[in-house]
Amino acid sequence: RKEVEQDPGPFNVPEGATVAFNCTYSNSASQSFFWYRQDCRKEPKLLMSVYSSGNEDGRFTAQLNRASQYISLLIRDSKLSDSATYLCVARDFGAGSYQLTFGKGTKLSVIP
Amino acid sequence: EPEVTQTPSHQVTQMGQEVILRCVPISNHLYFYWYRQILGQKVEFLVSFYNNEISEKSEIFDDQFSVERPDGSNFTLKIRSTKLEDSAMYFCASDRGNEQYFGPGTRLTVT
């Protein structure tokens, strides 16, 4: 059974803080990993892909450790607009399918 | 920027009725998906569609569900006889084998 596990939070942080989210996945054959964000009652929106070498997009840094089956997301200098649920996602390649397995999400509230 | 669109945004139906949820994937994408999210729970994969056929489906996607791509742009999910537990957000998604993009969803309420 494919599972992605995340700390559900909530994480309540002041503006300007640095916050880190972690996630583990059970399927060692998973090929690709992503962070999505989801606002209340909206669709998941792709935040960034996660690469083994680590990657950065502005204030966001993602890391992947395949040996530990562990993924992280670091948000620096948090903004009010960062308040959302952050979804850790694994993708598996099948025959004609790249289905995503989602974690339950970690809720972030950035407080003024 | 191209985006996935879905209609309707909200559908209310009575138990036992058939519903069709519609999606227009991004035009140059090749793989199409339906996911659902019950309120307060995680996003769950239902089915993937490639080359005009189902490529993979989850255990949720039973005989009550079907998908179709009736023309070059639309992608539909049909639930033949809705149950109360089908109440959820249904998201359509598409990709070209890389990053997957989601539509805004259809909120299905079964009464």
Side-chain angles (χ1 to χ4, degrees), chain A residues 26-69:
Chain A
S26 63
N27 184 8
S28 59
S30 292
Q31 299 282 333
S32 305
F33 305 90
F34 307 88
W35 284 100
Y36 280 73
R37 69 170 276 168
Q38 186 175 31
D39 293 288
C40 190
R41 298 186 172 230
K42 299 286 189 180
E43 75 272 26
K45 289 192 173 174
L46 180 65
L47 182 64
M48 59 196 302
S49 303
V50 187
Y51 304 118
S52 297
S53 54
N55 50 302
E56 190 173 303
D57 183 1
R59 298 181 293 109
F60 299 85
T61 300
Q63 293 274 357
L64 165 65
N65 184 322
R66 286 191 184 271
S68 304
Q69 295 183 203

mmCIF file of all heavy atoms in Angstrom, chain A residues 26-69:
data_model
loop_
_atom_site.group_PDB
_atom_site.id
_atom_site.type_symbol
_atom_site.label_atom_id
_atom_site.label_comp_id
_atom_site.label_asym_id
_atom_site.label_seq_id
_atom_site.Cartn_x
_atom_site.Cartn_y
_atom_site.Cartn_z
ATOM 1 N N SER A 26 6.145 5.557 1.682
ATOM 2 C CA SER A 26 6.351 4.134 1.936
ATOM 3 C C SER A 26 6.806 3.362 0.705
ATOM 4 O O SER A 26 7.447 2.313 0.827
ATOM 5 C CB SER A 26 5.064 3.506 2.473
ATOM 6 O OG SER A 26 4.044 3.586 1.501
ATOM 7 N N ASN A 27 6.483 3.869 -0.478
ATOM 8 C CA ASN A 27 6.779 3.125 -1.700
ATOM 9 C C ASN A 27 8.160 3.491 -2.225
ATOM 10 O O ASN A 27 8.343 4.558 -2.812
ATOM 11 C CB ASN A 27 5.704 3.411 -2.749
ATOM 12 C CG ASN A 27 5.899 2.596 -4.021
ATOM 13 O OD1 ASN A 27 6.750 1.713 -4.065
ATOM 14 N ND2 ASN A 27 5.121 2.881 -5.033
ATOM 15 N N SER A 28 9.110 2.618 -2.012
ATOM 16 C CA SER A 28 10.487 2.908 -2.426
ATOM 17 C C SER A 28 10.614 3.036 -3.944
ATOM 18 O O SER A 28 11.594 3.566 -4.446
ATOM 19 C CB SER A 28 11.429 1.817 -1.912
ATOM 20 O OG SER A 28 11.043 0.555 -2.416
ATOM 21 N N ALA A 29 9.609 2.570 -4.676
ATOM 22 C CA ALA A 29 9.653 2.666 -6.143
ATOM 23 C C ALA A 29 9.119 3.997 -6.658
ATOM 24 O O ALA A 29 9.161 4.262 -7.861
ATOM 25 C CB ALA A 29 8.852 1.521 -6.758
ATOM 26 N N SER A 30 8.610 4.847 -5.762
ATOM 27 C CA SER A 30 8.117 6.156 -6.208
ATOM 28 C C SER A 30 9.230 6.904 -6.917
ATOM 29 O O SER A 30 10.382 6.903 -6.475
ATOM 30 C CB SER A 30 7.621 6.983 -5.019
ATOM 31 O OG SER A 30 6.451 6.409 -4.471
ATOM 32 N N GLN A 31 8.849 7.565 -8.008
ATOM 33 C CA GLN A 31 9.865 8.143 -8.886
ATOM 34 C C GLN A 31 10.071 9.637 -8.683
ATOM 35 O O GLN A 31 11.191 10.130 -8.775
ATOM 36 C CB GLN A 31 9.450 7.897 -10.343
ATOM 37 C CG GLN A 31 9.340 6.433 -10.714
ATOM 38 C CD GLN A 31 10.700 5.816 -10.961
ATOM 39 O OE1 GLN A 31 11.632 6.495 -11.340
ATOM 40 N NE2 GLN A 31 10.815 4.531 -10.713
ATOM 41 N N SER A 32 8.981 10.340 -8.459
ATOM 42 C CA SER A 32 9.060 11.803 -8.394
ATOM 43 C C SER A 32 8.264 12.294 -7.194
ATOM 44 O O SER A 32 7.334 11.620 -6.738
ATOM 45 C CB SER A 32 8.469 12.430 -9.659
ATOM 46 O OG SER A 32 9.086 11.936 -10.808
ATOM 47 N N PHE A 33 8.648 13.486 -6.760
ATOM 48 C CA PHE A 33 8.029 14.033 -5.552
ATOM 49 C C PHE A 33 7.750 15.516 -5.748
ATOM 50 O O PHE A 33 8.492 16.201 -6.477
ATOM 51 C CB PHE A 33 8.952 13.798 -4.349
ATOM 52 C CG PHE A 33 9.302 12.348 -4.187
ATOM 53 C CD1 PHE A 33 10.420 11.822 -4.803
ATOM 54 C CD2 PHE A 33 8.474 11.507 -3.463
ATOM 55 C CE1 PHE A 33 10.725 10.473 -4.698
ATOM 56 C CE2 PHE A 33 8.770 10.156 -3.349
ATOM 57 C CZ PHE A 33 9.892 9.647 -3.968
ATOM 58 N N PHE A 34 6.697 15.969 -5.087
ATOM 59 C CA PHE A 34 6.269 17.345 -5.264
ATOM 60 C C PHE A 34 5.733 17.880 -3.951
ATOM 61 O O PHE A 34 5.274 17.116 -3.093
ATOM 62 C CB PHE A 34 5.148 17.432 -6.314
ATOM 63 C CG PHE A 34 5.493 16.789 -7.626
ATOM 64 C CD1 PHE A 34 5.247 15.445 -7.844
ATOM 65 C CD2 PHE A 34 6.076 17.526 -8.638
ATOM 66 C CE1 PHE A 34 5.568 14.839 -9.051
ATOM 67 C CE2 PHE A 34 6.404 16.932 -9.852
ATOM 68 C CZ PHE A 34 6.149 15.590 -10.055
ATOM 69 N N TRP A 35 5.726 19.176 -3.838
ATOM 70 C CA TRP A 35 4.943 19.875 -2.824
ATOM 71 C C TRP A 35 3.860 20.664 -3.545
ATOM 72 O O TRP A 35 4.145 21.396 -4.499
ATOM 73 C CB TRP A 35 5.814 20.806 -1.992
ATOM 74 C CG TRP A 35 6.660 20.089 -0.988
ATOM 75 C CD1 TRP A 35 7.983 19.777 -1.101
ATOM 76 C CD2 TRP A 35 6.246 19.606 0.302
ATOM 77 N NE1 TRP A 35 8.412 19.114 0.015
ATOM 78 C CE2 TRP A 35 7.364 18.998 0.894
ATOM 79 C CE3 TRP A 35 5.041 19.622 1.000
ATOM 80 C CZ2 TRP A 35 7.319 18.419 2.165
ATOM 81 C CZ3 TRP A 35 5.001 19.044 2.262
ATOM 82 C CH2 TRP A 35 6.120 18.446 2.834
ATOM 83 N N TYR A 36 2.639 20.472 -3.100
ATOM 84 C CA TYR A 36 1.512 21.261 -3.560
ATOM 85 C C TYR A 36 1.014 22.069 -2.372
ATOM 86 O O TYR A 36 1.188 21.677 -1.219
ATOM 87 C CB TYR A 36 0.365 20.360 -4.036
ATOM 88 C CG TYR A 36 0.515 19.786 -5.431
ATOM 89 C CD1 TYR A 36 1.420 18.761 -5.707
ATOM 90 C CD2 TYR A 36 -0.277 20.246 -6.480
ATOM 91 C CE1 TYR A 36 1.536 18.226 -6.984
ATOM 92 C CE2 TYR A 36 -0.177 19.718 -7.763
ATOM 93 C CZ TYR A 36 0.740 18.703 -8.002
ATOM 94 O OH TYR A 36 0.843 18.179 -9.273
ATOM 95 N N ARG A 37 0.362 23.196 -2.654
ATOM 96 C CA ARG A 37 -0.342 23.888 -1.587
ATOM 97 C C ARG A 37 -1.830 23.878 -1.926
ATOM 98 O O ARG A 37 -2.218 23.901 -3.107
ATOM 99 C CB ARG A 37 0.169 25.302 -1.370
ATOM 100 C CG ARG A 37 -0.118 26.303 -2.467
ATOM 101 C CD ARG A 37 0.213 27.728 -2.029
ATOM 102 N NE ARG A 37 -0.868 28.340 -1.284
ATOM 103 C CZ ARG A 37 -0.758 29.466 -0.597
ATOM 104 N NH1 ARG A 37 0.397 30.110 -0.528
ATOM 105 N NH2 ARG A 37 -1.795 29.979 0.058
ATOM 106 N N GLN A 38 -2.628 23.847 -0.876
ATOM 107 C CA GLN A 38 -4.074 23.838 -1.065
ATOM 108 C C GLN A 38 -4.692 24.844 -0.114
ATOM 109 O O GLN A 38 -4.540 24.739 1.107
ATOM 110 C CB GLN A 38 -4.653 22.438 -0.829
ATOM 111 C CG GLN A 38 -6.137 22.339 -1.162
ATOM 112 C CD GLN A 38 -6.686 20.933 -1.055
ATOM 113 O OE1 GLN A 38 -6.227 20.127 -0.243
ATOM 114 N NE2 GLN A 38 -7.666 20.605 -1.887
ATOM 115 N N ASP A 39 -5.380 25.810 -0.691
ATOM 116 C CA ASP A 39 -6.148 26.744 0.108
ATOM 117 C C ASP A 39 -7.506 26.115 0.392
ATOM 118 O O ASP A 39 -7.952 25.207 -0.324
ATOM 119 C CB ASP A 39 -6.282 28.076 -0.635
ATOM 120 C CG ASP A 39 -4.931 28.761 -0.759
ATOM 121 O OD1 ASP A 39 -4.438 29.250 0.265
ATOM 122 O OD2 ASP A 39 -4.364 28.770 -1.863
ATOM 123 N N CYS A 40 -8.180 26.647 1.415
ATOM 124 C CA CYS A 40 -9.415 26.038 1.884
ATOM 125 C C CYS A 40 -10.417 25.885 0.739
ATOM 126 O O CYS A 40 -10.756 26.855 0.051
ATOM 127 C CB CYS A 40 -9.997 26.905 3.001
ATOM 128 S SG CYS A 40 -11.364 26.132 3.848
ATOM 129 N N ARG A 41 -10.844 24.644 0.509
ATOM 130 C CA ARG A 41 -11.872 24.313 -0.477
ATOM 131 C C ARG A 41 -11.475 24.665 -1.920
ATOM 132 O O ARG A 41 -12.336 24.930 -2.767
ATOM 133 C CB ARG A 41 -13.206 24.972 -0.115
ATOM 134 C CG ARG A 41 -13.717 24.459 1.217
ATOM 135 C CD ARG A 41 -15.094 24.956 1.555
ATOM 136 N NE ARG A 41 -15.582 24.267 2.757
ATOM 137 C CZ ARG A 41 -16.760 23.689 2.847
ATOM 138 N NH1 ARG A 41 -17.595 23.693 1.846
ATOM 139 N NH2 ARG A 41 -17.124 23.102 3.964
ATOM 140 N N LYS A 42 -10.165 24.695 -2.154
ATOM 141 C CA LYS A 42 -9.664 24.947 -3.509
ATOM 142 C C LYS A 42 -8.871 23.735 -3.992
ATOM 143 O O LYS A 42 -8.660 22.791 -3.248
ATOM 144 C CB LYS A 42 -8.737 26.176 -3.504
ATOM 145 C CG LYS A 42 -9.400 27.451 -3.053
ATOM 146 C CD LYS A 42 -10.317 27.997 -4.111
ATOM 147 C CE LYS A 42 -10.794 29.385 -3.733
ATOM 148 N NZ LYS A 42 -11.706 29.925 -4.769
ATOM 149 N N GLU A 43 -8.450 23.801 -5.238
ATOM 150 C CA GLU A 43 -7.683 22.703 -5.788
ATOM 151 C C GLU A 43 -6.230 22.733 -5.320
ATOM 152 O O GLU A 43 -5.710 23.799 -4.984
ATOM 153 C CB GLU A 43 -7.716 22.737 -7.336
ATOM 154 C CG GLU A 43 -6.855 23.801 -7.993
ATOM 155 C CD GLU A 43 -7.563 25.122 -8.161
ATOM 156 O OE1 GLU A 43 -8.502 25.408 -7.379
ATOM 157 O OE2 GLU A 43 -7.148 25.878 -9.058
ATOM 158 N N PRO A 44 -5.559 21.576 -5.335
ATOM 159 C CA PRO A 44 -4.113 21.581 -5.062
ATOM 160 C C PRO A 44 -3.395 22.343 -6.173
ATOM 161 O O PRO A 44 -3.696 22.155 -7.357
ATOM 162 C CB PRO A 44 -3.742 20.092 -5.100
ATOM 163 C CG PRO A 44 -5.022 19.361 -4.930
ATOM 164 C CD PRO A 44 -6.078 20.221 -5.553
ATOM 165 N N LYS A 45 -2.455 23.187 -5.776
ATOM 166 C CA LYS A 45 -1.661 23.931 -6.757
ATOM 167 C C LYS A 45 -0.198 23.568 -6.578
ATOM 168 O O LYS A 45 0.318 23.581 -5.456
ATOM 169 C CB LYS A 45 -1.852 25.435 -6.586
ATOM 170 C CG LYS A 45 -3.230 25.885 -7.018
ATOM 171 C CD LYS A 45 -3.346 27.388 -7.138
ATOM 172 C CE LYS A 45 -4.701 27.726 -7.734
ATOM 173 N NZ LYS A 45 -4.966 29.158 -7.761
ATOM 174 N N LEU A 46 0.443 23.254 -7.680
ATOM 175 C CA LEU A 46 1.838 22.840 -7.638
ATOM 176 C C LEU A 46 2.709 23.965 -7.103
ATOM 177 O O LEU A 46 2.687 25.082 -7.627
ATOM 178 C CB LEU A 46 2.296 22.423 -9.034
ATOM 179 C CG LEU A 46 3.736 21.968 -9.151
ATOM 180 C CD1 LEU A 46 3.963 20.687 -8.364
ATOM 181 C CD2 LEU A 46 4.102 21.748 -10.624
ATOM 182 N N LEU A 47 3.455 23.653 -6.061
ATOM 183 C CA LEU A 47 4.384 24.616 -5.486
ATOM 184 C C LEU A 47 5.777 24.392 -6.089
ATOM 185 O O LEU A 47 6.389 25.307 -6.614
ATOM 186 C CB LEU A 47 4.422 24.447 -3.964
ATOM 187 C CG LEU A 47 5.303 25.390 -3.173
ATOM 188 C CD1 LEU A 47 4.795 26.819 -3.305
ATOM 189 C CD2 LEU A 47 5.345 24.979 -1.704
ATOM 190 N N MET A 48 6.251 23.165 -5.987
ATOM 191 C CA MET A 48 7.550 22.849 -6.560
ATOM 192 C C MET A 48 7.783 21.346 -6.623
ATOM 193 O O MET A 48 7.201 20.587 -5.856
ATOM 194 C CB MET A 48 8.686 23.512 -5.789
ATOM 195 C CG MET A 48 8.792 23.146 -4.334
ATOM 196 S SD MET A 48 9.841 24.294 -3.385
ATOM 197 C CE MET A 48 11.387 24.212 -4.232
ATOM 198 N N SER A 49 8.619 20.960 -7.570
ATOM 199 C CA SER A 49 9.092 19.584 -7.632
ATOM 200 C C SER A 49 10.218 19.434 -6.619
ATOM 201 O O SER A 49 10.809 20.428 -6.177
ATOM 202 C CB SER A 49 9.605 19.262 -9.023
ATOM 203 O OG SER A 49 8.599 19.489 -9.986
ATOM 204 N N VAL A 50 10.531 18.196 -6.262
ATOM 205 C CA VAL A 50 11.587 17.931 -5.281
ATOM 206 C C VAL A 50 12.629 17.041 -5.925
ATOM 207 O O VAL A 50 12.292 15.958 -6.426
ATOM 208 C CB VAL A 50 11.027 17.235 -4.022
ATOM 209 C CG1 VAL A 50 12.111 17.137 -2.948
ATOM 210 C CG2 VAL A 50 9.813 17.951 -3.476
ATOM 211 N N TYR A 51 13.877 17.468 -5.913
ATOM 212 C CA TYR A 51 14.951 16.714 -6.536
ATOM 213 C C TYR A 51 15.938 16.224 -5.467
ATOM 214 O O TYR A 51 16.086 16.836 -4.403
ATOM 215 C CB TYR A 51 15.681 17.574 -7.565
ATOM 216 C CG TYR A 51 14.769 18.142 -8.620
ATOM 217 C CD1 TYR A 51 14.613 19.515 -8.767
ATOM 218 C CD2 TYR A 51 14.041 17.298 -9.458
ATOM 219 C CE1 TYR A 51 13.764 20.036 -9.724
ATOM 220 C CE2 TYR A 51 13.193 17.815 -10.422
ATOM 221 C CZ TYR A 51 13.059 19.176 -10.550
ATOM 222 O OH TYR A 51 12.217 19.692 -11.497
ATOM 223 N N SER A 52 16.613 15.139 -5.794
ATOM 224 C CA SER A 52 17.554 14.542 -4.836
ATOM 225 C C SER A 52 18.658 15.514 -4.437
ATOM 226 O O SER A 52 19.149 15.481 -3.310
ATOM 227 C CB SER A 52 18.179 13.282 -5.424
ATOM 228 O OG SER A 52 17.207 12.301 -5.658
ATOM 229 N N SER A 53 19.009 16.389 -5.362
ATOM 230 C CA SER A 53 20.096 17.335 -5.085
ATOM 231 C C SER A 53 19.610 18.515 -4.262
ATOM 232 O O SER A 53 20.408 19.366 -3.864
ATOM 233 C CB SER A 53 20.673 17.828 -6.408
ATOM 234 O OG SER A 53 19.648 18.350 -7.220
ATOM 235 N N GLY A 54 18.319 18.565 -4.026
ATOM 236 C CA GLY A 54 17.749 19.723 -3.324
ATOM 237 C C GLY A 54 17.509 20.845 -4.317
ATOM 238 O O GLY A 54 18.262 21.002 -5.277
ATOM 239 N N ASN A 55 16.455 21.585 -4.127
ATOM 240 C CA ASN A 55 16.182 22.690 -5.023
ATOM 241 C C ASN A 55 15.487 23.820 -4.283
ATOM 242 O O ASN A 55 14.832 23.611 -3.262
ATOM 243 C CB ASN A 55 15.383 22.246 -6.254
ATOM 244 C CG ASN A 55 14.159 21.430 -5.921
ATOM 245 O OD1 ASN A 55 14.232 20.377 -5.287
ATOM 246 N ND2 ASN A 55 12.994 21.925 -6.330
ATOM 247 N N GLU A 56 15.690 24.995 -4.835
ATOM 248 C CA GLU A 56 15.233 26.207 -4.167
ATOM 249 C C GLU A 56 14.437 27.042 -5.166
ATOM 250 O O GLU A 56 14.777 27.100 -6.356
ATOM 251 C CB GLU A 56 16.459 26.991 -3.693
ATOM 252 C CG GLU A 56 16.171 28.153 -2.792
ATOM 253 C CD GLU A 56 17.452 28.771 -2.238
ATOM 254 O OE1 GLU A 56 18.244 28.032 -1.605
ATOM 255 O OE2 GLU A 56 17.677 29.965 -2.454
ATOM 256 N N ASP A 57 13.364 27.656 -4.671
ATOM 257 C CA ASP A 57 12.581 28.562 -5.502
ATOM 258 C C ASP A 57 12.217 29.746 -4.628
ATOM 259 O O ASP A 57 11.252 29.685 -3.855
ATOM 260 C CB ASP A 57 11.341 27.852 -6.032
ATOM 261 C CG ASP A 57 10.522 28.727 -6.955
ATOM 262 O OD1 ASP A 57 10.922 29.883 -7.213
ATOM 263 O OD2 ASP A 57 9.465 28.259 -7.430
ATOM 264 N N GLY A 58 13.015 30.782 -4.695
ATOM 265 C CA GLY A 58 12.774 31.942 -3.846
ATOM 266 C C GLY A 58 12.921 31.594 -2.377
ATOM 267 O O GLY A 58 13.979 31.118 -1.947
ATOM 268 N N ARG A 59 11.865 31.777 -1.622
ATOM 269 C CA ARG A 59 11.896 31.512 -0.175
ATOM 270 C C ARG A 59 11.692 30.031 0.167
ATOM 271 O O ARG A 59 11.722 29.662 1.343
ATOM 272 C CB ARG A 59 10.803 32.344 0.502
ATOM 273 C CG ARG A 59 10.983 33.846 0.345
ATOM 274 C CD ARG A 59 9.889 34.624 1.066
ATOM 275 N NE ARG A 59 8.576 34.429 0.466
ATOM 276 C CZ ARG A 59 7.596 33.738 1.016
ATOM 277 N NH1 ARG A 59 7.757 33.152 2.201
ATOM 278 N NH2 ARG A 59 6.422 33.624 0.403
ATOM 279 N N PHE A 60 11.465 29.215 -0.825
ATOM 280 C CA PHE A 60 11.124 27.805 -0.612
ATOM 281 C C PHE A 60 12.299 26.905 -1.008
ATOM 282 O O PHE A 60 12.869 27.075 -2.079
ATOM 283 C CB PHE A 60 9.894 27.424 -1.441
ATOM 284 C CG PHE A 60 8.660 28.212 -1.092
ATOM 285 C CD1 PHE A 60 8.438 29.451 -1.662
ATOM 286 C CD2 PHE A 60 7.740 27.710 -0.190
ATOM 287 C CE1 PHE A 60 7.299 30.184 -1.329
ATOM 288 C CE2 PHE A 60 6.608 28.436 0.142
ATOM 289 C CZ PHE A 60 6.392 29.675 -0.431
ATOM 290 N N THR A 61 12.623 25.956 -0.122
ATOM 291 C CA THR A 61 13.669 24.979 -0.409
ATOM 292 C C THR A 61 13.124 23.587 -0.136
ATOM 293 O O THR A 61 12.541 23.345 0.922
ATOM 294 C CB THR A 61 14.903 25.216 0.486
ATOM 295 O OG1 THR A 61 15.410 26.519 0.256
ATOM 296 C CG2 THR A 61 15.994 24.195 0.170
ATOM 297 N N ALA A 62 13.304 22.685 -1.090
ATOM 298 C CA ALA A 62 12.840 21.313 -0.931
ATOM 299 C C ALA A 62 14.021 20.362 -0.976
ATOM 300 O O ALA A 62 15.004 20.605 -1.674
ATOM 301 C CB ALA A 62 11.850 20.965 -2.038
ATOM 302 N N GLN A 63 13.914 19.299 -0.190
ATOM 303 C CA GLN A 63 14.972 18.292 -0.144
ATOM 304 C C GLN A 63 14.349 16.902 -0.217
ATOM 305 O O GLN A 63 13.254 16.684 0.301
ATOM 306 C CB GLN A 63 15.748 18.397 1.173
ATOM 307 C CG GLN A 63 16.547 19.658 1.344
ATOM 308 C CD GLN A 63 17.925 19.571 0.724
ATOM 309 O OE1 GLN A 63 18.306 18.533 0.201
ATOM 310 N NE2 GLN A 63 18.675 20.659 0.775
ATOM 311 N N LEU A 64 15.097 15.989 -0.811
ATOM 312 C CA LEU A 64 14.668 14.594 -0.902
ATOM 313 C C LEU A 64 15.805 13.706 -0.432
ATOM 314 O O LEU A 64 16.943 13.874 -0.874
ATOM 315 C CB LEU A 64 14.301 14.256 -2.356
ATOM 316 C CG LEU A 64 14.158 12.788 -2.730
ATOM 317 C CD1 LEU A 64 12.994 12.141 -1.985
ATOM 318 C CD2 LEU A 64 13.982 12.634 -4.235
ATOM 319 N N ASN A 65 15.499 12.765 0.440
ATOM 320 C CA ASN A 65 16.474 11.767 0.864
ATOM 321 C C ASN A 65 15.895 10.400 0.528
ATOM 322 O O ASN A 65 15.033 9.887 1.242
ATOM 323 C CB ASN A 65 16.730 11.897 2.368
ATOM 324 C CG ASN A 65 17.817 10.937 2.852
ATOM 325 O OD1 ASN A 65 17.903 9.795 2.390
ATOM 326 N ND2 ASN A 65 18.639 11.386 3.769
ATOM 327 N N ARG A 66 16.356 9.840 -0.587
ATOM 328 C CA ARG A 66 15.778 8.565 -1.049
ATOM 329 C C ARG A 66 16.109 7.416 -0.103
ATOM 330 O O ARG A 66 15.315 6.499 0.075
ATOM 331 C CB ARG A 66 16.269 8.236 -2.459
ATOM 332 C CG ARG A 66 15.631 9.092 -3.536
ATOM 333 C CD ARG A 66 15.938 8.559 -4.921
ATOM 334 N NE ARG A 66 15.405 9.420 -5.955
ATOM 335 C CZ ARG A 66 14.188 9.319 -6.472
ATOM 336 N NH1 ARG A 66 13.363 8.378 -6.019
ATOM 337 N NH2 ARG A 66 13.780 10.129 -7.405
ATOM 338 N N ALA A 67 17.282 7.468 0.500
ATOM 339 C CA ALA A 67 17.680 6.378 1.395
ATOM 340 C C ALA A 67 16.739 6.294 2.591
ATOM 341 O O ALA A 67 16.359 5.206 3.037
ATOM 342 C CB ALA A 67 19.120 6.575 1.858
ATOM 343 N N SER A 68 16.336 7.464 3.106
ATOM 344 C CA SER A 68 15.446 7.513 4.268
ATOM 345 C C SER A 68 13.981 7.628 3.872
ATOM 346 O O SER A 68 13.100 7.611 4.740
ATOM 347 C CB SER A 68 15.799 8.702 5.163
ATOM 348 O OG SER A 68 17.145 8.658 5.549
ATOM 349 N N GLN A 69 13.724 7.799 2.568
ATOM 350 C CA GLN A 69 12.348 7.982 2.051
ATOM 351 C C GLN A 69 11.702 9.169 2.775
ATOM 352 O O GLN A 69 10.588 9.062 3.293
ATOM 353 C CB GLN A 69 11.550 6.678 2.187
ATOM 354 C CG GLN A 69 12.142 5.587 1.318
ATOM 355 C CD GLN A 69 11.372 4.274 1.336
ATOM 356 O OE1 GLN A 69 11.940 3.223 1.048
ATOM 357 N NE2 GLN A 69 10.111 4.305 1.674
#
